Amino acid sequence: MVERADSGAVAAETSVVPGVEKRRRGWVLAGVAVVLGGVLGFHRLVPNWPGRVGSLIESFLPWGGVLAVVLLVVALVRRSAVALVALLLPVGVWVGTFGGLLLPGEEGDGRELVVVQHNVSDENRDPAGTARVLVDSGADLVALEELVDPQLAAYEKALAADYPHHVVRGTVGLWSKHPLSGEQVVDIKPRSIEEGWSRGLRAVVDSPYGEVAAYVAHLPSVRVGVSGLASQRRDESAALLGRAIADESVEPVILLGDLNGVVEDRGLSPLTSQLAFTESGFAFSFPATFPLARIDQVMARSAAVGHIRTLPATGSDHLPVVARVALE
């Protein structure tokens, strides 16, 4: 009789434990969902130390949607109602933040310029083929970075027929269908970089709709390591560029460049605080083999950046991006 009672108690215990374990896992999933929603919605509150962790999170913020989908699948498999309810938070925040990028964008009123931004890579073995992709876009303006000899001569030759006006300063250049004037170097060199580093230029485009100040920039690279995100030079260069644009007297302003950062990255706030960027299109541009982020940017002031998209791959490790800029 005692043995039967003990076996009954064991059976009762084993029947209860799976239910408790199931509920506990549901609450764990719910907790992860709430944390994800908090990071998506309040990423600016994440401290940028140590290792600029805030900027690192912001660099991959759109991929939080993928994490939400994974959590959703797990919650459905677990049949956890509490986790499904909690997932409404990150899903809602993601849609509110990035959902508009999935839309096609509005049509312009005709007062617009088509612009292309491309880091062509200093190791590009097919500059002529790269130039054909850029020409096929039909852009009014083409901004290029990592221009080095002998590839520079190849770009100048391949683009000359479609873009009779161009300016190159250091390793960045601007090609235009419309006349250019006021060409000058924009000094965005961080203090810790040696002399001979020139990655910024400014020119005035005499467009059919009036003068436009165009800036081309290539900010320093960032690195991700065991100590976090190394972006000090990039951030300093962004601040210098931001000051130059703030002092610009010609309106509208268009900035084209490899900024080595996404628009959510607080390190680019000297630029994103005063320039508009697209609200339509993800256009992940780097790395070209498996794009994870758009670090090639088109921004504007006194103008609106329309839908942005990538062009076919070239010989670069970046994809070109093209956008329509509607002038005010």
Side-chain angles (χ1 to χ4, degrees):
M1 293 295 292
V2 173
E3 290 181 358
R4 283 198 297 273
D6 290 344
S7 63
V10 171
E13 182 180 350
T14 56
S15 65
V16 171
V17 169
V20 174
E21 182 68 18
K22 180 179 178 180
R23 287 194 297 274
R24 187 176 69 179
R25 290 177 179 177
W27 281 105
V28 170
L29 284 174
V32 174
V34 170
V35 171
L36 176 59
V39 171
L40 288 173
F42 302 99
H43 55 90
R44 293 293 185 188
L45 299 181
V46 178
N48 219 19
W49 53 269
R52 281 175 161 74
V53 64
S55 286
L56 181 59
I57 290 173
E58 289 162 348
S59 297
F60 300 100
L61 210 58
W63 293 98
V66 175
L67 294 178
V69 171
V70 172
L71 291 175
L72 176 62
V73 172
V74 175
L76 289 172
V77 171
R78 299 288 185 185
R79 297 181 180 179
S80 172
V82 66
L84 290 172
V85 172
L87 275 166
L88 293 175
L89 175 60
V91 170
V93 174
W94 190 94
V95 171
T97 305
F98 300 107
L101 295 175
L102 299 173
L103 302 177
E106 299 179 359
E107 293 292 331
D109 60 0
R111 284 178 47 84
E112 62 182 20
L113 296 175
V114 179
V115 300
V116 164
Q117 151 59 30
H118 190 28
N119 179 327
V120 294
S121 174
D122 55 9
E123 298 179 353
N124 194 325
R125 297 183 178 180
D126 185 21
T130 298
R132 285 194 295 271
V133 172
L134 304 177
V135 169
D136 288 345
S137 70
D140 296 278
L141 302 176
V142 174
L144 304 181
E145 298 83 43
E146 293 199 10
L147 294 169
V148 295
D149 292 326
Q151 292 97 320
L152 174 57
Y155 289 115
E156 291 177 325
K157 179 180 179 180
L159 295 172
D162 294 272
Y163 299 94
H165 312 281
H166 85 282
V167 55
V168 176
R169 294 291 186 270
T171 59
V172 299
L174 177 68
W175 275 257
S176 172
K177 291 185 176 181
H178 313 298
L180 300 174
S181 63
E183 301 95 334
Q184 64 187 68
V185 170
V186 178
D187 184 7
I188 58 173
K189 183 176 70 68
R191 292 185 298 272
S192 60
I193 293 181
E194 297 178 356
E195 296 295 332
W197 190 96
S198 180
R199 291 188 181 184
L201 71 80
R202 175 258 193 194
V204 176
V205 182
D206 184 13
S207 81
Y209 317 108
E211 291 187 338
V212 177
Y215 284 74
V216 181
H218 183 190
L219 301 190
S221 299
V222 299
R223 295 288 184 267
V224 180
V226 293
S227 60
L229 188 72
S231 64
Q232 295 92 331
R233 287 179 171 179
R234 192 277 313 271
D235 297 349
E236 183 181 349
S237 190
L240 293 170
L241 180 58
R243 284 199 287 270
I245 292 176
D247 293 337
E248 177 59 58
S249 60
V250 175
E251 298 288 344
V253 175
I254 299 176
L255 169 62
L256 304 152
D258 174 5
L259 304 186
N260 273 303
V262 300
V263 295
E264 293 81 18
D265 188 337
R266 68 193 68 180
L268 297 186
S269 59
L271 302 170
T272 55
S273 62
Q274 61 175 314
L275 299 171
F277 43 87
T278 184
E279 296 182 357
S280 173
F282 282 98
F284 292 157
S285 63
F286 183 83
T289 51
F290 188 79
L292 294 172
R294 185 178 76 244
I295 62 175
D296 295 274
Q297 305 293 352
V298 177
M299 300 182 185
R301 188 173 70 207
S302 299
V305 182
H307 183 79
I308 192 168
R309 61 184 176 87
T310 56
L311 295 176
T314 66
S316 172
D317 55 345
H318 293 241
L319 294 177
V321 298
V322 58
R324 294 182 178 274
V325 179
L327 308 178
E328 293 181 358

